[in-house]
């Protein structure tokens, strides 16, 4: 994927951000991916009450000392018309207090401090892929929920910048109901 894809990802990210500030979001959450020349192939979701059990490293230590209220995770694949495929992991970590959410985000955002484990690839009939957190983004919703998104290349020639753009879009993925 060339620089045109990166420009499209940035443009779509701006449109999604505008939606967050009051403009209507698309009725179809997959439209943002189609607008970027991608389509969702498969998706799996899970909800858990024990965030620490689904994390590792300093992130797990924090979640053991400061439990979350709920953890929602989604794993999905995106593909383009040329057969390129991206694996996307998004996690919503909800706390009962804004200070706990801020502290979680502070630790989570430092590369190498641990992470929320993505759902297993077997749920989508793909091999487990180690998420490196090199293509990463996060945001805070409503003050108490931290959204963490990561992407990894499965096939194709997507650049690291493009994968970063997809992670930036993925933090705006609607939370599973």
């Amino acid at each position: 994927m060339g620089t045109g894809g990166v420009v499209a990802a940035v443009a779509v990210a701006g449109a999604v951000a505008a939606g967050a500030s009051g403009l209507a979001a698309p009725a179809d959450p997959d439209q943002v991916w189609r607008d970027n020349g991608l389509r969702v192939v498969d998706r799996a979701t899970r909800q858990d009450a024990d965030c620490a059990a689904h994390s590792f490293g300093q992130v797990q230590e924090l979640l053991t000392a400061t439990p979350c209220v709920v953890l929602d995770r989604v794993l999905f694949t995106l593909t383009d018309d040329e057969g390129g495929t991206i694996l996307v992991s998004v996690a919503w970590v909800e706390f009962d207090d804004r200070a706990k959410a801020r502290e979680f985000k502070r630790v989570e955002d430092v590369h190498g401090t641990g992470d929320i484990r993505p759902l297993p690839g077997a749920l989508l009939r793909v091999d487990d892929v180690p998420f490196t957190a090199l293509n990463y983004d996060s945001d805070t919703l409503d003050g108490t929920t931290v959204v963490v998104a990561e992407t990894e290349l499965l096939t194709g020639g997507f650049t690291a910048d493009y994968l970063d753009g997809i992670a930036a879009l993925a933090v705006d993925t609607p939370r599973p109901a």
Side-chain angles (χ1 to χ4, degrees):
M1 188 70 40
T3 57
V6 173
V7 171
V10 171
V12 173
V16 171
S21 65
L23 298 175
D28 178 359
D30 292 343
Q31 186 62 45
V32 71
W33 303 116
R34 287 191 295 275
D35 289 347
N36 199 38
L38 300 166
R39 65 187 174 285
V40 176
V41 176
D42 206 357
R43 178 183 351 244
T45 63
R46 294 288 185 274
Q47 185 177 77
D48 296 286
D50 186 355
C51 293
H54 300 288
S55 61
F56 61 91
Q58 292 173 7
V59 169
Q60 184 178 49
E61 292 171 14
L62 175 74
L63 291 170
T64 299
T66 308
C68 72
V69 173
V70 68
L71 169 65
D72 289 308
R73 293 178 294 163
V74 64
L75 184 72
F76 59 97
T77 51
L78 297 170
T79 189
D80 68 3
D81 291 336
E82 298 169 18
T85 306
I86 301 168
L87 188 61
V88 182
S89 174
V90 184
W92 294 261
V93 186
E94 184 176 334
F95 294 89
D96 61 2
D97 174 276
R98 289 175 182 267
K100 292 174 185 175
R102 275 192 306 272
E103 179 62 10
F104 171 77
K105 187 173 185 320
R106 185 189 69 75
V107 173
E108 172 69 28
D109 282 349
V110 177
H111 192 266
T113 58
D115 207 348
I116 297 293
R117 283 191 183 93
L119 292 173
L123 293 172
L124 304 181
R125 296 173 300 282
V126 298
D127 290 335
D128 281 336
V129 173
F131 278 84
T132 62
L134 296 175
N135 309 303
Y136 169 93
D137 202 359
S138 72
D139 199 4
T140 304
L141 301 176
D142 64 35
T144 59
T145 303
V146 178
V147 184
V148 177
E150 299 181 54
T151 63
E152 291 296 335
L153 178 67
L154 289 179
T155 62
F158 298 109
T159 66
D161 285 342
Y162 187 82
L163 293 172
D164 282 341
I166 296 302
L169 288 173
V171 293
D172 292 317
T173 298
R175 188 173 183 173

